[in-house]
Amino acid sequence: MFAAERRQLILEMVRANGAVSLRELARVVQTSEVTVRRDVRALEAEGLLDRRHGGAVLPGGFTRESGFPQKSHLASAEKTAIADVAAGLVAEGEAVVVGAGTTTQELARRLARVPGLTVVTNSLLVAQALAHANRVEVVMTGGTLRGSNYALVGSGAEQSLQGLRVSRAFLSGSGLTAERGLSTSNMLSASVDRALVQAAAEVVVLADHTKLGTDTMFQTVPTDVMTRLVTDKPPPQNDRAGTELQALADQGVQITVTGLAQAGPAEGTAPGHGGGGGGPAGRSGDKGRREMPMPGQRRNHPQGGGGSGAPGPPQLRSAPSLPDQPQGGGRVADLAPRRR
């Protein structure tokens, strides 16, 4: 394929999807990511698209929302790994809310194995994934169907969530930055997501690395409300995504990164941390981990012990064992705040 043909196909993919990762572009045009990056740089110079961290988006700063068929094929392996880890955070008998999205749909497929679980959702796809789970109760919100992502939105959905209280909310979105938190491109979806957050004691965001550093129009989960982020390891050349993760950790968000080949305990980790508890991260029996505050409560940064006070490099510490953690899928690690 000639360069002109490649670039035309890249441009068509970005226009159709709103945002596409370099990995996906390279797969479709059947060339290396280095070549695709060069093509994207040339198209950006012509003002036809904008480069983003590990991908390309429509020009103008804010990406528009892709349709479900397009999103379901983007970063599918990463979403599967994220869902595997997130499912390990849920215990028998819990009540949780699960928002709409392709990553949360993957999570729902795994939650079907958790007995005694109650799942509140506005997503038809999440409900469908749990429809034949005999030991899981599914509660649907009301609302108006939004066909592009098979979700119920509007005042009916928001009113049905009033007075609800559950242990955790699992949400995804279109973009995630340390400055604004999680965001989405649709106003109605954002409003329902905010109502889901208000119903939960803890907020877990599921976002693959292609969303890190991407900003979209409507904020759904501010950074100080996020309890935990479950994401995948960004490519080595994606410095911005790594910087964004560290900035989120510095603001008190617990970062769980899937697919790490090696991760040793951080300095100062309590002895035996992550060793024999076997419980989900963040529960009262998980020693050596910060307490998870309620939504809206800003977290305090842990202080380091002495020294010059200059921030150190990002510290990765081994995460505790999670139930049903995938085998052979790489280590799971937590990103710790910089020691101060």
Side-chain angles (χ1 to χ4, degrees):
M1 187 180 295
F2 294 110
E5 294 175 310
R6 276 199 323 270
R7 292 171 185 178
Q8 181 61 35
L9 181 55
I10 290 171
L11 190 57
E12 289 173 359
M13 287 183 64
V14 173
R15 285 173 175 170
N17 300 319
V20 187
S21 68
L22 290 177
R23 184 181 306 173
E24 182 68 11
L25 290 172
R27 185 187 67 80
V28 172
V29 301
Q30 298 182 342
T31 187
S32 67
E33 288 189 31
V34 173
T35 301
V36 167
R37 188 177 293 107
R38 191 161 50 239
D39 290 337
V40 168
R41 190 178 294 115
L43 291 168
E44 182 185 43
E46 297 178 37
L48 299 174
L49 51 74
D50 287 345
R51 282 187 298 159
R52 284 296 182 268
H53 332 294
V57 301
L58 290 173
F62 294 100
T63 61
R64 70 174 178 85
E65 186 176 32
S66 306
F68 175 79
Q70 291 82 21
K71 289 193 289 186
S72 62
H73 295 294
L74 294 176
S76 57
E78 290 86 347
K79 292 173 183 176
T80 298
I82 290 168
D84 284 337
V85 173
L89 300 173
V90 182
E92 296 182 13
E94 274 196 84
V96 300
V97 296
V98 179
T102 53
T103 310
T104 52
Q105 181 188 22
E106 288 294 327
L107 170 63
R109 292 180 177 131
R110 288 146 182 83
L111 294 182
R113 300 190 295 266
V114 182
L117 187 65
T118 300
V119 176
V120 181
T121 185
N122 69 319
S123 169
L124 298 186
L125 298 175
V126 168
Q128 182 184 41
L130 296 167
H132 300 293
N134 295 328
R135 297 175 294 177
V136 177
E137 181 179 0
V138 180
V139 180
M140 294 289 297
T141 68
T144 302
L145 177 63
R146 184 167 179 259
S148 62
N149 65 344
Y150 303 96
L152 298 172
V153 297
S155 59
E158 295 171 42
Q159 290 173 9
S160 66
L161 294 166
Q162 292 180 3
L164 180 71
R165 194 63 172 171
V166 299
S167 58
R168 289 183 182 85
F170 292 91
L171 295 174
S172 187
S174 302
L176 177 62
T177 65
E179 181 180 0
R180 291 185 72 220
L182 190 68
S183 61
T184 188
S185 304
N186 182 266
M187 180 173 63
L188 294 176
S189 295
S191 186
V192 175
D193 282 354
R194 287 193 287 266
L196 292 172
V197 167
Q198 292 299 316
E202 298 172 359
V203 181
V204 181
V205 171
L206 312 180
D208 63 79
H209 74 271
T210 63
K211 298 174 183 178
L212 293 172
T214 299
D215 206 358
T216 52
M217 290 184 68
F218 300 99
Q219 183 189 57
T220 56
V221 185
T223 305
D224 64 347
V225 174
M226 292 171 56
T227 306
R228 177 181 291 272
L229 166 65
V230 183
T231 187
D232 62 294
K233 184 182 180 182
Q237 68 274 15
N238 194 342
D239 295 335
R240 178 63 182 272
T243 301
E244 204 74 54
L245 283 177
Q246 185 62 68
L248 286 162
D250 288 345
Q251 294 191 45
V253 179
Q254 297 182 35
I255 314 293
T256 299
V257 182
T258 69
L260 288 175
Q262 295 181 351
E267 183 182 353
T269 302
H273 175 60
R283 290 217 259 283
S284 59
D286 185 12
K287 297 183 179 181
R289 186 174 298 284
R290 299 189 304 275
E291 180 181 357
M292 291 184 179
M294 301 289 283
Q297 178 181 349
R298 186 170 290 278
R299 303 161 180 80
N300 294 322
H301 294 183
Q303 299 297 319
S308 62
Q315 298 292 324
L316 291 174
R317 64 169 177 262
S318 299
S321 302
L322 298 176
D324 297 326
Q325 188 170 330
Q327 300 298 319
R331 293 281 301 279
V332 179
D334 282 353
L335 188 66
R338 285 192 185 93
R339 299 186 50 166
R340 305 188 188 283

